[in-house]
Amino acid sequence: MRYAVTAGFLFLLAQTAAAPAQVSHETLKSLSTPDKVETRLGALGFKDGAPSKETVEKAYDTLDFTRALDAYLNSYGGASAYALREGFRSIGAKDNSIAIFSELMDSNSLFLTPNADTVYYMGVVDLTNGPMVVEQPPKGVGTINDMWFGWIIDIGYPGPDRGEGGKYLLVPPGYDGPLPEGGYFVARSRTMRVLYACRGYLVDNDPKATAELVRKTLKIYPYTAGGFGTSVATALEGTVKLAANPPVPETKFVEASGKSFNTIPPSDFDFFEMINANVQQEPAESYNVELAGQLAAIGIAKGKPFEPDERMRKILTEAAAMGNAVGRALNWRANEVPGWAYYPGSGWSNMLWEGGANFETPPPMITSEGLFKPLPATGARTLNSKTAFYYAYTLDSPGMIMRVPKVGSQYLMSFVDADKNYFDGGKTYKVTLPPNIPAAAFWSFTLYDNQTRSMLQTPQRYPRAGSQSYPSPAVEAAADGTTTIYFGPEQPKGVARGNWIQTVPGKGWFALLRLYSPLESFFTKEWRPSEIELVK
């Protein structure tokens, strides 16, 4: 059937098509900007949507401050890694040499929350001239990170050598030369320098044998392509020339026990100077593009001078102050962050339970059959846990948070007492541990200075108490199997020396409980320490 099309119908159709669509008043209101907008920065002025000169200035200042604050929070690991290298160099432990704490680390040196229970040996390995070999001693526990605290590989018991020791081949970014077929644990770095950090346990409550073993067996030297690890058959393919391994040079050890030096980043404008120094010495691709963008927005970029003007310097100084405040807020009130407390209402906490060592997905669970059950990836960085961790702690490793009985170590932090008040160095507190403390190897408490996040400096030198009898007497348990430790400026009457850690009037502190080779009751939370209670 055909329909007649009249001129009148065509006219109405044209009129309908030409009529503009009507946008609702609510939509226009949501898109429009009033002439005056009140914000936390004060009033912002506009003229029919066009910003005033004062508003433009406020917008740029806010944008620069936001970029600077993000850069501070997201690059703290890089500043801390750089500060570690500077600290090692200050005592003569240059790259490819090792700072060793043969008599353990004490409160003289400034490190972010170290322990006073194990023999630390650590240093920076320089890959600028090609791959380097690290011959790892047996019976170690440690990790290797890049210069942004990016995890590369674990070493020792949590690593592929599983505590037996072995040769680790560290490969720099961009290296496309020949690599061995076997004999090495190969690990690739995104930076031209890497942080090597390991610790050894005491033998019969004495660090001497461990320190001697490290000095005897730890080696750091350049890799020889075509030597050990390369077969003749591979050389016959023409891709690598056979070579004899040169004599292994002696590794330089620098004794660090008892020395005063700093490895902690500054909390003022100089923080950004330190980040710029790290950016300039490492490849532009060594950190993610988002962080690179934040740094570039405040004037820090590879190959370019960092020369902020007076306005920008003021903004960066304020951003550093706020970043420092954020790091402290997240740590000192860590128990209030959802998912960080050891159990509901507890002052004991650990931020790594939220996103694991990669700050994204919680660590895998382990089944009764001993198999790991990875949790689904979240796809989102847990920014607060990342900020809190790097602000007060150093290096990154899955071994620090793995839910595996008798492997690695576990940590509980406490910044507040049972009444959720900060600790006062002039007062006395106590904590009680139930029987069967879940540590197959040993356990300890260590106290730290609120300001430096380093060991609390007191006449004790080693602000710790634990199951080992070195470097201070071991704790004594009560007849019922419970263990009580006291924290205060004076040793309480009737309390054994090993059950007391000294504090300083006028100086705030916080505590870490370490469980080495933790047992299942820790993970199931059947075992729970008491809160730290005020005595007087």
Side-chain angles (χ1 to χ4, degrees), residues 250-300:
E250 288 294 319
T251 298
K252 179 182 178 181
F253 288 90
V254 176
E255 182 56 58
S257 290
K259 291 188 177 179
S260 298
F261 62 104
N262 177 46
T263 68
I264 303 173
S267 297
D268 53 18
F269 172 81
D270 289 342
F271 174 90
F272 293 102
E273 295 278 18
M274 184 168 285
I275 283 296
N276 178 63
N278 205 25
V279 166
Q280 301 308 327
Q281 77 170 8
E282 297 298 343
E285 302 80 18
S286 63
Y287 48 102
N288 64 62
V289 294
E290 287 79 12
L291 177 56
Q294 292 167 1
L295 293 173
I298 60 174
I300 297 176

Side-chain angles (χ1 to χ4, degrees), residues 168-379:
Y168 285 78
L169 181 60
L170 307 179
V171 183
Y175 177 80
D176 60 359
L179 292 174
E181 302 157 50
Y184 297 89
F185 304 113
V186 179
R188 291 185 176 272
S189 172
R190 296 181 305 168
T191 56
M192 300 305 295
R193 295 161 190 81
V194 301
L195 288 164
Y196 169 89
C198 202
R199 60 187 188 270
Y201 296 164
L202 308 189
V203 178
D204 297 327
N205 290 301
D206 191 332
K208 184 177 179 180
T210 301
E212 289 179 350
L213 176 66
V214 172
R215 289 178 180 273
K216 180 180 179 180
T217 58
L218 175 58
K219 306 293 181 184
I220 300 175
Y221 53 89
Y223 167 67
T224 300
F228 173 80
T230 300
S231 67
V232 175
T234 295
L236 292 176
E237 297 174 359
T239 57
V240 62
K241 181 181 178 181
L242 285 176
N245 283 78
V248 175
E250 288 294 319
T251 298
K252 179 182 178 181
F253 288 90
V254 176
E255 182 56 58
S257 290
K259 291 188 177 179
S260 298
F261 62 104
N262 177 46
T263 68
I264 303 173
S267 297
D268 53 18
F269 172 81
D270 289 342
F271 174 90
F272 293 102
E273 295 278 18
M274 184 168 285
I275 283 296
N276 178 63
N278 205 25
V279 166
Q280 301 308 327
Q281 77 170 8
E282 297 298 343
E285 302 80 18
S286 63
Y287 48 102
N288 64 62
V289 294
E290 287 79 12
L291 177 56
Q294 292 167 1
L295 293 173
I298 60 174
I300 297 176
K302 178 76 171 180
K304 296 182 180 180
F306 176 50
E307 299 173 339
D309 58 20
E310 184 178 351
R311 167 189 164 275
M312 195 64 189
R313 190 181 183 93
K314 181 179 179 181
I315 289 174
L316 294 174
T317 300
E318 184 180 356
M322 181 54 69
N324 179 62
V326 170
R328 291 178 178 276
L330 290 171
N331 272 286
W332 270 255
R333 310 307 297 192
N335 62 297
E336 299 174 1
V337 180
W340 292 13
Y342 183 49
Y343 53 87
S346 175
W348 295 106
S349 61
N350 188 320
M351 70 288 296
L352 293 180
W353 289 324
E354 180 186 11
N358 65 349
F359 307 103
E360 183 213 341
T361 303
M365 306 296 290
I366 189 167
T367 67
S368 57
E369 294 79 22
L371 297 174
F372 288 106
K373 183 180 180 182
L375 298 175
T378 63

Side-chain angles (χ1 to χ4, degrees), residues 279-481:
V279 166
Q280 301 308 327
Q281 77 170 8
E282 297 298 343
E285 302 80 18
S286 63
Y287 48 102
N288 64 62
V289 294
E290 287 79 12
L291 177 56
Q294 292 167 1
L295 293 173
I298 60 174
I300 297 176
K302 178 76 171 180
K304 296 182 180 180
F306 176 50
E307 299 173 339
D309 58 20
E310 184 178 351
R311 167 189 164 275
M312 195 64 189
R313 190 181 183 93
K314 181 179 179 181
I315 289 174
L316 294 174
T317 300
E318 184 180 356
M322 181 54 69
N324 179 62
V326 170
R328 291 178 178 276
L330 290 171
N331 272 286
W332 270 255
R333 310 307 297 192
N335 62 297
E336 299 174 1
V337 180
W340 292 13
Y342 183 49
Y343 53 87
S346 175
W348 295 106
S349 61
N350 188 320
M351 70 288 296
L352 293 180
W353 289 324
E354 180 186 11
N358 65 349
F359 307 103
E360 183 213 341
T361 303
M365 306 296 290
I366 189 167
T367 67
S368 57
E369 294 79 22
L371 297 174
F372 288 106
K373 183 180 180 182
L375 298 175
T378 63
R381 190 74 66 206
T382 54
L383 294 177
N384 285 350
S385 70
K386 182 172 181 281
T387 293
F389 180 78
Y390 284 143
Y391 182 79
Y393 316 93
T394 57
L395 297 159
D396 194 8
S397 163
M400 301 178 72
I401 195 62
M402 62 175 65
R403 292 171 169 151
V404 185
K406 297 185 179 181
V407 176
S409 49
Q410 286 288 336
Y411 309 82
L412 290 177
M413 304 84 166
S414 182
F415 293 84
V416 293
D417 65 15
D419 296 319
K420 302 303 182 285
N421 296 317
Y422 298 134
F423 298 116
D424 183 337
K427 298 179 179 179
T428 299
Y429 302 81
K430 69 175 182 178
V431 63
T432 299
L433 306 182
N436 303 315
I437 299 170
F442 57 95
W443 62 269
S444 74
F445 279 100
T446 311
L447 298 193
Y448 300 95
D449 185 317
N450 275 357
Q451 289 286 6
T452 65
R453 294 93 76 203
S454 299
M455 288 189 206
L456 187 65
Q457 292 187 337
T458 73
Q460 283 185 338
R461 183 180 173 188
Y462 298 98
R464 52 82 63 188
S467 57
Q468 296 186 147
S469 61
Y470 184 96
S472 57
V475 297
E476 298 179 16
D480 62 359

